[in-house]
């Protein structure tokens, strides 16, 4: 991160995952990376506001707390949840998040032809294991990531670094 951070303009936010410990926080924050641990950050541009919410690992450590993280968000405000794992999609939709951005699955890492994962190491429908998906009114995206886990191999699952661009919906004046 020390080599990558200087190339990234603007604010950088992140969350911890199942291979991370709280001891990483000081080093990451010294690099200017704001780690959201069951908390939210209001991001304001002109007269618009988006609430960015990050929860602690919900897969291995099970220290996620959506209720605490959303405590200061007014009702009906646009909110994005960043979670290492997409496994909390039901809770996120129930909490009225507009978007859930996650990773953890590595897209299966080792997949059959067509990108069909052998395993996702997550409790969720396979369609949510990589790429864009929707659950009720909430949009979601699960990145397959750039690394690997357990074995340093990827098969039929190329790595990715995803860049999301947010823009006002066409025809909306607010």
């Amino acid at each position: 991160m020390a080599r990558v951070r200087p190339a990234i303009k603007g604010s950088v936010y992140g969350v911890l995952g199942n291979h991370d410990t709280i001891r990483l926080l000081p080093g990451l924050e010294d690099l200017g990376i704001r780690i959201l641990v069951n908390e939210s950050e209001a991001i304001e541009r002109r007269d618009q506001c988006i609430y960015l919410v990050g929860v602690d690992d919900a897969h291995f450590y099970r220290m996620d707390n959506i209720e605490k993280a959303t405590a200061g968000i007014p009702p009906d405000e646009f909110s994005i949840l960043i979670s290492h794992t997409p496994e909390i999609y039901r809770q996120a939709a129930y909490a009225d998040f507009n978007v859930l951005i996650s990773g953890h699955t590595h897209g299966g890492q080792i997949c059959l032809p067509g990108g069909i994962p052998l395993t996702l190491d997550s409790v969720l429908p396979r369609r949510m294991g990589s790429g864009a998906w929707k659950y009720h009114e909430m949009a979601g995206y699960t990145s397959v990531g750039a690394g690997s886990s357990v074995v340093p191999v990827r098969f039929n699952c190329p790595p990715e670094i995803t860049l999301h661009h947010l823009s006002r919906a066409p025809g909306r004046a607010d």
Side-chain angles (χ1 to χ4, degrees):
M1 291 306 302
R3 291 189 336 223
V4 173
R5 177 60 182 110
I8 302 171
K9 305 289 187 241
S11 302
V12 176
Y13 300 90
V15 294
L16 298 175
N18 61 305
H19 294 283
D20 304 324
T21 71
I22 200 79
R23 294 184 303 193
L24 292 173
L25 240 78
L28 291 169
E29 291 191 340
D30 285 348
L31 293 173
I33 301 170
R34 171 87 159 86
I35 302 298
L36 298 170
V37 182
N38 298 324
E39 55 194 329
S40 65
E41 182 85 22
I43 300 173
E44 297 181 35
R45 300 286 188 275
R46 293 182 287 274
D47 61 339
Q48 301 290 307
C49 184
I50 292 174
Y51 287 87
L52 187 62
V53 178
V55 292
D56 204 355
D57 178 52
H59 177 76
F60 182 76
Y61 293 109
R62 300 191 191 284
M63 296 301 294
D64 57 302
N65 188 333
I66 288 178
E67 294 79 17
K68 177 184 175 194
T70 58
I73 301 176
D76 300 322
E77 289 293 326
F78 191 88
S79 59
I80 300 171
L81 176 62
I82 303 173
S83 168
H84 177 71
T85 179
E87 291 173 278
I88 62 170
Y89 68 95
R90 286 185 187 98
Q91 299 97 306
Y94 181 76
D96 291 325
F97 280 99
N98 299 93
V99 178
L100 168 59
I101 297 174
S102 61
H104 178 69
T105 66
H106 295 264
Q109 191 171 311
I110 300 172
C111 298
L112 298 172
I116 301 166
L118 295 179
T119 181
L120 292 172
D121 191 27
S122 298
V123 180
L124 71 156
R126 284 196 183 279
R127 67 181 178 81
M128 294 178 173
S130 65
W133 48 266
K134 192 163 178 81
Y135 181 75
H136 296 297
E137 298 302 311
M138 183 181 68
Y141 190 89
T142 306
S143 173
V144 303
S148 59
S149 182
V150 183
V151 292
V153 171
R154 282 184 171 270
F155 187 71
N156 289 324
C157 184
E160 71 175 14
I161 295 174
T162 310
L163 182 61
H164 297 277
H165 291 273
L166 302 177
S167 61
R168 185 176 297 156
R172 291 207 37 183
D174 57 348

